[in-house]
Amino acid sequence: MISTCFERSSHPTARIGRWPDPLRDDQNARVLVIDDSSDIRYLLDFFLRSASIDVDLVGDGLAAMRWIDDRSPPDLVLLDRMLPTVSGERILGAMRSREEWAAVPVVFVSALATSSDVATGLSLGASAYVTKPFVPIEVVRLIGELLAGELARTDRVPDRAVTVQ
């Protein structure tokens, strides 16, 4: 059962492929998924683990803020913009204000899908933006590109938006 607190996923999955991990030769990449929908968390967990990515799951904004305060940063964060208790935008701001979290790529995953929503999300410092509904394997591909540095975040506002339906 998913609680509103953070959790370590143990969902069993089969391997569907693997891309080279440029961050560490001896470990898998680690992705933090922050979304209040248990269906979205489990879907992303399944596909990310199938691609040999370690996954941590958080179910609400307050738990995400505690995670940022208490844990070391992951290699990448998938973040819903509309969360209970604390918005994804505030969470992103908290990440960017902490030195150890500032360079972590953050991908907004949101039902807010207008061009204005996407532009706002990217201007807030997201590395990419994925609109719901999405094709999970495309999200895995995007994460692979981000982790490989192909879409590495720089001091400029990112210009990458992904709309997969």
Side-chain angles (χ1 to χ4, degrees):
M1 184 78 180
I2 301 286
S3 69
T4 57
C5 199
F6 40 82
E7 63 192 88
R8 180 82 175 166
S9 171
S10 61
H11 194 283
T13 60
R15 291 186 184 275
I16 61 171
R18 181 181 171 102
W19 57 76
D21 181 4
L23 300 177
R24 301 183 200 122
D25 292 332
D26 61 338
Q27 293 182 329
N28 293 341
R30 187 168 59 98
V31 171
L32 174 60
V33 176
I34 305 170
D35 200 297
D36 58 319
S37 167
S38 61
D39 291 339
I40 297 291
R41 286 193 310 270
Y42 279 123
L43 180 70
L44 289 169
D45 179 52
F46 176 82
F47 278 89
L48 293 172
R49 286 187 180 281
S50 295
S52 300
I53 297 172
D54 292 333
V55 182
D56 294 305
L57 305 171
V58 175
D60 71 55
L62 189 58
M65 295 299 278
R66 287 194 308 262
W67 184 280
I68 293 165
D69 288 340
D70 298 340
R71 307 282 180 112
S72 61
D75 298 311
L76 185 137
V77 176
L78 294 174
L79 176 61
D80 188 1
R81 278 184 69 184
M82 298 185 299
L83 291 165
T85 64
V86 179
S87 73
E89 294 162 356
R90 280 191 52 206
I91 293 166
L92 178 59
M95 288 180 200
R96 296 294 182 238
S97 71
R98 288 171 173 77
E99 184 178 341
E100 66 275 11
W101 284 78
V104 173
V106 175
V107 177
F108 270 134
V109 180
S110 181
L112 298 173
T114 68
S115 58
S116 174
D117 294 326
V118 173
T120 298
L122 294 174
S123 71
L124 291 170
S127 303
Y129 197 104
V130 176
T131 59
K132 296 177 184 176
F134 55 83
V135 176
I137 200 68
E138 289 298 316
V139 174
V140 172
R141 182 195 54 75
L142 173 64
I143 290 169
E145 290 175 2
L146 285 164
L147 292 176
E150 294 175 22
L151 301 176
R153 187 175 188 286
T154 64
D155 291 336
R156 66 178 179 77
V157 174
D159 56 4
R160 172 76 177 228
V162 177
T163 303
V164 183
Q165 297 186 20

